[in-house]
Amino acid sequence: MNTRPIGVALLGCGVVGSEVVRLLTEQADELTARTGAPIELRGIAVRKLGKHRDVPAELLTTDSAALVAREDVDVVVEVVGGIEPVRTLLLQALRAGRSVVTANKALLAEHTAELAEAADASGADLYFEAAVAGAIPIVRPLRESLAGDRITRVVGIVNGTTNFILSAMDATGAGYAETLEEAGRLGYAEADPTADVDGFDAAAKAAILASLAFHTRVTAADVHREGIRDITASDLSAARALSCTVKLLALCERVPQADGSERVSARVYPAMVPLSHPLASVDGAFNAVVVEAEAAGRLMFYGQGAGGAPTASAVVGDLVAVCRNQVQGGRGPRESAYAQLAVSPMGDTPTRYHVSMEVADVAGVLATVAGEFSRRGVSISTVRQAVRGDGATLVVVTHTAPDSALAATVAALHELEHVTSVTSVLRVEGDTP
Ligand code: NDP
Ligand code: HSE
């Protein structure tokens, strides 16, 4: 057993990195006891030296490449974010046999293959628990605890910003724009909220989850992505009328094909979720992931998906795991991408729709609307109608059908003479009441 100190290079000392330093400092003795060797910070790479007054000045450097290349560095912890220069630095570290812990979902969603290959070539570890759902242990449960099972589906709320906005819209009845502004004032939304509200952040996490769950390489480009910018107060009230709420979901599932093979679907979009569904009660900036596996059944993981201390908890947990591997002279699990399932195009993927529309209260409207669904092979699950004056509100929830058939039906409804307006179209997750 190797008990010499393990040298760590920390890249980044912002929201997450500063908490990593705090945990490593405050818990130094306990971490040594748990790991079997002292974990020693060799240096902290940042962009600007002047602003980091809470960390030892002698550790700070702006020369990340030199820090990563130091002989006394065994593990590189990356909490900078973005693709370059981080990709190059981590490849350099892995090729030199230094293990890597990263929280960088954007990088992993694009470049896991080359990072994993570099790790395999040198025998280094690549750990990334913090990249999906912050503090929530989900990466290692998928990669390790459930390695003996067959996962069929993963559905999660993996973006705290959008969940905060949708929860607030549901609670207050306010519109998207004013709720986003409020989220910014309260520090939940960034000045540029694009990555969150347009679903890029959730799509990166969906790619990582799908890759792990289905032993297949899925990148962010494979993930169908729709954000929450177009969600209106009417969508939320339509959901409430059906005892549902609206959540931005990351969905990853196996899609059986007619020839008996399987494809993988990975997608992110806002969906109606019945209040009885376990994800419906996940409010505010919290995250949760539901995993369905053949033998284990349904599992749910819930907690804080962002923030300095919660994310640092996952980063330091990975660091301890990597250090334990080094103390014992071994290596953690490698990337498992043997299945290489094809990705199901969104149009072929089975989904369910809810459609609310305002119609004229004249003979034959219901039959005409129903005809548009049946013409495309879409079976209707429920229809509700409320008459007001000379018009009516018609709410249709479908059974499962290929997404392209559902989308084509909605496009056709817009063109019908007696459909005054289509007021809400949302996909549905779970069984509506
Ligand atoms: P911050 O922006 O708060 O911190 C980034 C840090 O990286 C800063 O210390 C910055 O230096 C440093 N940095 C930037 N560019 C370079 C560079 N070229 N070389 C060296 N250092 C550099 O980011 P976060 O801490 O919020 O996020 C870090 C990572 O963790 C990202 O990948 C993010 O996606 C991920 N993550 C974050 C979560 C969160 O809640 N914040 C949750 C889950 C994951 P300086 O301070 O001098 O500007
Ligand atoms: N912006 C992300 C969120 C941070 O809102 O969940 C965690 O990845």
Side-chain angles (χ1 to χ4, degrees):
M1 209 155 85
N2 171 22
T3 55
R4 72 169 175 79
I6 296 174
V8 175
L10 179 65
L11 308 184
C13 194
V15 173
V16 180
S18 56
E19 286 297 314
V20 169
V21 176
R22 184 180 67 77
L23 292 182
L24 289 179
T25 310
E26 289 180 5
Q27 305 185 137
D29 292 343
E30 286 210 63
L31 293 178
T32 301
R34 287 176 209 163
T35 305
I39 299 174
E40 292 181 357
L41 263 180
R42 303 290 187 225
I44 305 171
V46 293
R47 202 167 24 190
K48 293 195 188 112
L49 290 176
K51 63 192 234 200
H52 302 277
R53 310 216 184 280
D54 294 339
V55 298
E58 67 278 11
L59 289 179
L60 290 171
T61 175
T62 53
D63 192 345
S64 307
L67 175 60
V68 166
R70 267 174 64 160
E71 283 300 320
D72 59 353
V73 164
D74 303 290
V75 185
V76 175
V77 174
E78 185 268 315
V79 280
V80 170
I83 307 294
E84 292 293 354
V86 164
R87 171 183 157 272
T88 302
L89 290 166
L90 297 190
L91 284 172
Q92 179 192 335
L94 290 165
R95 285 176 185 143
R98 294 174 176 89
S99 292
V100 163
V101 172
T102 176
N104 191 334
K105 60 247 167 183
L107 177 72
L108 290 160
E110 300 287 351
H111 296 287
T112 294
E114 62 177 336
L115 293 168
E117 275 159 26
D120 285 347
S122 69
D125 274 330
L126 175 62
Y127 276 58
F128 47 90
E129 183 60 71
V132 183
I136 305 173
I138 182 66
V139 168
R140 277 198 270 157
L142 288 176
R143 188 156 86 163
E144 299 175 37
S145 322
L146 289 163
D149 208 334
R150 187 170 185 277
I151 296 169
T152 51
R153 201 158 193 264
V154 181
V155 186
I157 294 170
V158 293
N159 183 268
T161 306
T162 46
N163 201 50
F164 177 86
I165 293 170
L166 292 173
S167 303
M169 286 175 73
D170 198 15
T172 63
Y176 168 76
E178 61 181 296
T179 311
L180 172 64
E181 218 177 286
E182 178 69 359
R185 260 198 305 277
L186 295 172
Y188 286 102
E190 297 195 23
D192 177 2
T194 308
D196 294 316
V197 301
D198 290 334
F200 291 100
D201 176 77
K205 293 167 181 170
I208 297 169
L209 290 172
S211 302
L212 291 164
F214 307 128
H215 307 277
T216 286
R217 279 193 190 121
V218 178
T219 67
D222 296 322
V223 181
H224 174 87
R225 177 185 52 77
E226 296 171 30
I228 66 162
R229 275 186 206 269
D230 296 332
I231 295 297
T232 61
S234 302
D235 290 321
L236 268 308
S237 67
R240 265 195 306 280
L242 290 177
S243 300
C244 292
T245 187
V246 179
K247 297 290 184 192
L248 183 72
L249 298 182
L251 296 111
C252 314
E253 63 188 352
R254 294 178 188 271
V255 182
Q257 304 296 297
D259 64 1
S261 67
E262 274 182 337
R263 290 188 173 189
V264 161
S265 163
R267 49 199 205 265
V268 167
Y269 47 64
M272 254 190 202
V273 177
L275 295 177
S276 56
H277 192 286
L279 291 176
S281 54
V282 177
D283 279 333
F286 277 78
N287 283 192
V289 182
V290 173
V291 178
E292 293 171 25
E294 281 182 358
R298 191 188 247 189
L299 306 162
M300 182 159 167
F301 303 79
Y302 169 85
Q304 297 192 66
T311 308
S313 164
V315 171
V316 176
D318 274 355
L319 178 58
V320 168
V322 168
C323 292
R324 282 175 172 160
N325 294 342
Q326 299 206 350
V327 167
Q328 282 156 23
R331 200 189 162 205
R334 306 165 44 182
E335 188 206 23
S336 173
Y338 65 88
Q340 284 309 332
L341 300 175
V343 174
S344 172
M346 186 61 198
D348 294 351
T349 300
T351 61
R352 292 175 67 209
Y353 272 36
H354 148 277
V355 187
S356 294
M357 62 206 110
E358 296 301 316
V359 299
D361 186 17
V362 296
V365 171
L366 197 51
T368 313
V369 166
E372 294 298 339
F373 284 89
S374 83
R375 185 167 304 134
R376 294 168 183 83
V378 178
S379 173
I380 291 174
S381 165
T382 59
V383 180
R384 289 172 173 80
Q385 180 174 278
V387 177
R388 274 180 285 100
D390 58 356
T393 302
L394 198 58
V395 178
V396 176
V397 178
T398 72
H399 285 297
T400 299
D403 196 80
S404 57
L406 289 156
T409 306
V410 172
L413 294 176
H414 279 279
E415 303 305 320
L416 290 183
E417 184 189 352
H418 294 302
V419 174
T420 325
S421 60
V422 178
T423 50
S424 173
V425 179
L426 284 165
R427 296 188 185 85
V428 178
E429 166 66 12
D431 301 323
T432 42

